[in-house]
Amino acid sequence: MAETLLHIEGVSKRFGGVTASENVSLVVPAGELHAIIGPNGAGKTTLIGQLTGEITPDAGHIRFADADITALPTYQRSTLGLARSFQITSLFLDMSVLDNVALAVQAHDGHSFRFWRPARKQESLRAPARAALARSGLASRADVPVADLSHGEHRQLEIAMALATRPRMLLLDEPMAGMGPEESARLVALLRELKKEYTILLIEHDMEAVFALADRISVLVYGRVIATGKPDEIRVNPEVRRAYLGEKDVVARHV
Amino acid sequence: MTPHLTARNAFIAALVLALFLVPVYAVWIGNNFVLSLFTRIVILAIAATSLNLIMGYGGMVSFGHAAYLGTGGYAVGILAFEGVTSGFVQWPLALVVSGAIAFVIGILSLRTRGVYFIMITLAFAQMIYYVAVSLNRYGADDGLTIYRRSQFGGLINLSNKTVFYYLCLVILMGSIYLVWRIVNSRFGMVIQGSRSNDRRMRAIGFPTFRYRLACFVIAGMICGLAGVLLANHTDFISPAMMHWTRSGDLIVMVVLGGMGSLFGPTIGAVALLVLEEALPYVISVAGRVVTGHDVATAKEYWQLILGPMLLLVVLFARGGIDGLLASLRRG
């Protein structure tokens, strides 16, 4: 059994009367691609927020690589090797593609109280940035302003930036959102490559992608994890089928 | 950033050359007013350049930037009044105090964004303004005359108007060079990234607050230096140095000249202050031509012309005058 990289223990979060996370526990061993699915409003975004530090849980603990990160600020989690991509594209639109990734490299190359030497001329930032771009298939777009990229390329850049932080684990928040079938297929191929190297927590609506990629799947409904297991187990789980009532075909279609 | 001969670069080169030739021109026409006006322009251009660092590059719209002008000025004025006229004491102390005040204001205001940030910086500047008003020993409302400009032990004589002008101009060029180095450094990348998308910056691992605070302090210190020069220029300090409308003027200079452009604030300072002097004159001449007799009161309405000009720049030239010049090449 591989070592546990991410361990969520009994995390709860309430917003007023709404329970967004209820006693969520989850274990992701190193090397696994773990997917989280669930209907809209199941609390997926709240869970990601707690993992990245933008939301503090009311109860429970989050451990990452044997450190308790429950109360750690966002930037320190990134330093520990927890990288995320955003569901809604969140980039530096007024900079070039390479500048975006170089910033991600810079974030993990010591402090940035360096006021004098031009950052754009430092190979120690540019070379790893170019490598991350090549990895995610954007090498030819390095000097294009981010605002001029297509939606699919924005999603690729999201991943390139996460990779550039040299993470131990990727948190991918709906990387396929808004993608056409062709772009999705390309991204699935990329993720299949990445899962060989990285532990990945994938939050995704695209069931086809999830069942194609995931080693294990957790199903979140009304803030609770109702099932965790291999794709085959999830497919036949009666509780999961009930949760997806009305859209049960979604799960069944991939049997 | 390799220099090319574009309309914009030619204009900036001409402007810098013209600024260097101002004393020659003043001697030639035998009029000291021009030199005095341009000394003020250059000093306020330093202040606007420092505001541009946080506002144009860092997205921190401070509506209290004149507070540092006042701080620098009062440091000089109070020390001179107490008998300490050495610039070697006055100037470093002015910078340290300006930086310390920026640090305190920054710590409390940089946790907010947008309108809240604007209002908090304004509130702090007003507090400092009223502190100055309450300093009875140092002239309170009426201000304080400085009888001796900062002394540098015979190294440089600030009472010589030409020497003083060139000192201000060199400090302006130095400030622009400093801002240029800063914004292109790793630190500058963090500042600009944080303007663009602070949430993302934190997600990729930057503790952005401390970088923004450091930037805020640097800008406060540069502006404090401008205040030191302003006090030496006018031989006088008063709370009016840091009236909130002065903060507004600085914002106008930056926006008019071009936010996030190195020479934009200088262009804006020259444009605003020259218009301020020239428009009343133009109006009175035009009035005489049109009506056939003197209409002295008409020139009081010069702001009615300046206002719409600013409006046009903000509406149609988002990058200010510098942005307009840059677009000439593409056009």
Side-chain angles (χ1 to χ4, degrees):
Chain A
M1 174 96 188
E3 56 154 338
T4 299
L5 191 55
L6 179 71
H7 192 171
I8 306 174
E9 299 172 72
V11 160
S12 294
K13 181 72 192 179
R14 244 171 289 278
F15 296 107
V18 182
T19 305
S21 301
E22 192 184 337
N23 200 20
V24 172
S25 293
L26 206 65
V27 174
V28 181
E32 179 172 272
L33 192 152
H34 195 108
I36 295 180
I37 61 171
N40 280 324
K44 301 190 292 286
T45 306
T46 305
L47 186 60
I48 270 260
Q50 293 173 101
L51 292 179
T52 58
E54 289 176 343
I55 301 169
T56 315
D58 298 331
H61 288 279
I62 302 169
R63 301 178 65 79
F64 179 72
D66 292 331
D68 189 333
I69 63 166
T70 319
L72 227 50
T74 304
Y75 74 88
Q76 281 183 18
R77 298 181 194 216
S78 170
T79 313
L80 283 178
L82 192 59
R84 83 173 286 191
S85 78
F86 284 78
Q87 176 185 356
I88 295 158
T89 303
S90 175
L91 300 161
F92 310 109
L93 289 178
D94 43 6
M95 297 183 184
S96 78
V97 170
L98 189 56
D99 283 348
N100 269 257
V101 188
L103 256 178
V105 177
Q106 187 185 323
H108 295 260
D109 188 35
H111 69 79
S112 287
F113 285 102
R114 295 171 191 184
F115 300 91
W116 209 247
R117 284 180 52 217
R120 287 193 178 89
K121 288 183 183 156
Q122 292 175 19
E123 268 311 296
S124 56
L125 299 179
R126 303 308 256 190
R130 271 191 229 100
L133 280 180
R135 196 71 217 274
S136 47
L138 277 177
S140 62
R141 306 287 272 162
D143 297 319
V144 177
V146 170
D148 293 349
L149 293 186
S150 73
H151 177 76
E153 288 172 324
H154 277 157
R155 312 300 314 185
Q156 281 170 276
L157 180 53
E158 281 281 344
I159 291 172
M161 287 176 71
L163 292 180
T165 62
R166 280 181 287 157
R168 304 179 62 178
M169 181 170 188
L170 294 170
L171 292 178
L172 305 178
D173 191 0
E174 301 202 18
M176 319 276 177
M179 276 195 166
E182 199 180 312
E183 287 176 324
S184 288
R186 225 177 332 139
L187 195 54
V188 168
L190 172 60
L191 292 182
R192 195 168 278 134
E193 280 302 307
L194 292 179
K195 87 180 252 198
K196 292 175 189 160
E197 277 174 63
Y198 298 97
T199 310
I200 299 176
L201 188 68
L202 173 70
I203 296 191
E204 187 49 63
H205 263 305
D206 184 335
M207 293 299 164
E208 205 165 329
V210 166
F211 279 91
L213 290 166
D215 298 317
R216 287 197 306 151
I217 299 173
S218 291
V219 185
L220 206 60
V221 177
Y222 295 122
R224 285 191 311 121
V225 177
I226 61 165
T228 294
K230 296 199 164 64
D232 288 339
E233 298 164 12
I234 294 298
R235 246 181 230 123
V236 297
N237 185 311
E239 228 184 318
V240 175
R241 289 179 168 249
R242 214 174 308 127
Y244 273 93
L245 193 73
E247 39 174 334
K248 64 176 136 195
D249 305 350
V250 177
V251 181
R253 215 188 303 136
H254 301 289
V255 173
Chain B
M1 245 184 130
T2 39
H4 295 288
L5 189 64
T6 60
R8 176 202 191 181
N9 290 345
F11 178 86
I12 289 169
L15 177 71
V16 171
L17 186 68
L19 286 176
F20 270 97
L21 291 178
V22 162
V24 179
Y25 177 73
V27 169
W28 184 42
I29 64 165
N31 182 343
N32 255 334
F33 172 73
V34 173
L35 187 58
S36 169
L37 169 66
F38 271 85
T39 307
R40 197 161 67 92
I41 289 176
V42 167
I43 292 171
L44 291 178
I46 298 169
T49 298
S50 74
L51 177 60
N52 187 39
L53 175 61
I54 51 173
M55 184 172 131
Y57 293 101
M60 301 170 248
V61 184
S62 163
F63 200 172
H65 211 58
Y68 310 111
L69 272 179
T71 306
Y74 267 77
V76 169
I78 290 175
L79 284 174
F81 184 81
E82 301 295 353
V84 181
T85 55
S86 167
F88 295 117
V89 179
Q90 288 179 346
W91 292 37
L93 198 69
L95 290 187
V96 168
V97 175
S98 301
I101 288 181
F103 183 80
V104 172
I105 295 180
I107 270 197
L108 295 165
S109 63
L110 284 170
R111 299 181 191 281
T112 64
R113 296 254 156 185
V115 175
Y116 300 100
F117 181 75
I118 294 175
M119 292 327 269
I120 290 180
T121 48
L122 174 62
F124 274 110
Q126 287 300 89
M127 272 168 54
I128 295 170
Y129 173 84
Y130 284 112
V131 166
V133 167
S134 69
L135 292 176
N136 288 324
R137 181 173 166 80
Y138 307 111
D141 246 346
D142 299 329
L144 185 68
T145 299
I146 300 171
Y147 292 100
R148 270 190 101 179
R149 289 191 174 183
S150 303
Q151 303 295 309
F152 282 96
L155 233 96
I156 183 170
N157 178 11
L158 301 194
S159 299
N160 179 319
K161 289 190 162 53
T162 303
V163 169
F164 184 67
Y165 175 81
Y166 279 119
L167 176 67
C168 294
L169 191 55
V170 166
I171 290 176
L172 171 61
M173 293 301 143
S175 308
I176 293 173
Y177 179 69
L178 184 70
V179 169
W180 179 63
R181 296 300 305 216
I182 288 177
V183 298
N184 287 300
S185 70
R186 288 191 178 203
F187 179 81
M189 289 294 150
V190 177
I191 294 304
Q192 292 176 80
S194 171
R195 173 199 61 199
S196 177
N197 190 341
D198 194 63
R199 184 170 174 229
R200 182 57 187 238
M201 286 298 280
R202 278 178 278 128
I204 57 177
F206 283 112
T208 54
F209 179 80
R210 62 183 74 157
Y211 293 104
R212 284 154 51 83
L213 180 61
C215 188
F216 197 76
V217 170
I218 294 169
M221 290 174 78
I222 298 175
C223 193
L225 183 57
V228 166
L229 295 172
L230 194 60
N232 273 293
H233 172 55
T234 54
D235 302 309
F236 180 70
I237 52 165
S238 82
M241 282 178 89
M242 49 181 140
H243 196 253
W244 65 274
T245 54
R246 176 56 76 58
S247 296
D249 283 345
L250 292 176
I251 292 178
V252 169
M253 287 172 195
V254 173
V255 173
L256 180 66
M259 264 204 282
S261 132
L262 282 173
F263 282 90
T266 303
I267 298 172
V270 172
L272 184 71
L273 296 175
V274 167
L275 281 176
E276 223 175 85
E277 293 299 329
L279 277 179
Y281 177 73
V282 170
I283 291 172
S284 70
V285 169
R288 199 176 319 140
V289 171
V290 173
T291 61
H293 54 84
D294 265 340
V295 275
T297 52
K299 67 178 178 195
E300 283 166 27
Y301 297 104
W302 62 273
Q303 287 183 332
L304 277 180
I305 296 179
L306 185 67
M309 285 171 94
L310 289 178
L311 212 59
L312 285 175
V313 168
V314 171
L315 286 177
F316 297 111
R318 296 297 297 272
I321 297 172
D322 187 57
L324 214 58
L325 289 165
S327 68
L328 285 181
R329 184 181 35 168
R330 291 196 299 272

